[in-house]
């Protein structure tokens, strides 16, 4: 089963992601960007769902660091910020795609499936 790293500091947002992912993928959590970088290296996820606003290291910087070490790792940005500038910053940091909160379960699962083919 494919493994997904969910980098999310907000408990209620993480609970929603567990509900969406639980019957489809193995998953584990990082509660800040620093932990996301460490878990990307130690746990070898197949894909990362990256919140952009997190403590210690934000999602953009975590993405840059993960991308430098793992150029082919699919990283999908998750954010409450839906502006074009936010999307552009996420893509420039190295995210493959961008999803706005609140997350639509069907769209989320389809996007993940597309990257894990």
């Amino acid at each position: 089963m494919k493994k997904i790293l969910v980098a999310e500091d907000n408990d209620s947002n993480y609970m929603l992601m567990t509900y969406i992912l639980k019957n489809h993928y193995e998953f584990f959590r990082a509660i800040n960007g620093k932990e996301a970088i460490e878990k990307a290296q130690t746990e070898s996820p197949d894909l990362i769902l990256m919140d952009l606003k997190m403590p210690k290291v934000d999602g953009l910087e975590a993405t840059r660091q993960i991308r430098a070490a793992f150029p082919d790792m699919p990283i999908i940005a998750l954010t409450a910020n839906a502006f074009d500038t936010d999307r552009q910053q996420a893509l420039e940091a190295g995210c493959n795609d961008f999803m706005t909160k609140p997350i639509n379960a069907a769209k989320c699962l389809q996007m993940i499936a597309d990257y894990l083919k």
Side-chain angles (χ1 to χ4, degrees):
M1 187 175 277
K2 299 284 188 179
K3 292 193 309 186
I4 296 177
L5 168 56
V6 181
E8 174 62 67
D9 63 314
N10 181 286
D11 289 338
S12 59
N13 289 340
Y14 180 71
M15 291 304 294
L16 173 63
M17 293 313 300
T18 64
Y19 175 77
I20 292 170
L21 299 172
K22 68 181 177 185
N23 295 320
H24 307 279
Y25 301 99
E26 282 184 46
F27 55 91
F28 53 98
R29 181 182 188 184
I31 60 169
N32 59 58
K34 183 177 183 296
E35 192 173 288
I37 295 163
E38 292 166 0
K39 288 192 174 186
Q41 295 169 343
T42 61
E43 302 291 331
S44 302
D46 296 294
L47 181 140
I48 299 173
L49 296 174
M50 181 71 74
D51 181 22
L52 296 183
K53 303 287 186 216
M54 289 189 294
K56 297 195 180 181
V57 176
D58 71 23
L60 294 173
E61 181 57 31
T63 295
R64 286 185 199 97
Q65 291 187 34
I66 292 167
R67 178 64 61 224
F70 304 98
D72 299 324
M73 173 81 60
I75 302 174
I76 299 172
L78 303 178
T79 185
N81 301 334
F83 298 109
D84 285 340
T85 54
D86 298 307
R87 175 185 296 273
Q88 191 60 36
Q89 286 179 332
L91 297 176
E92 286 173 2
C95 290
N96 298 85
D97 221 320
F98 185 90
M99 203 177 313
T100 56
K101 297 173 184 176
I103 302 299
N104 175 296
K107 286 181 182 178
C108 180
L109 288 171
Q110 185 60 56
M111 187 179 287
I112 292 168
D114 289 346
Y115 281 101
L116 293 180
K117 284 183 180 169

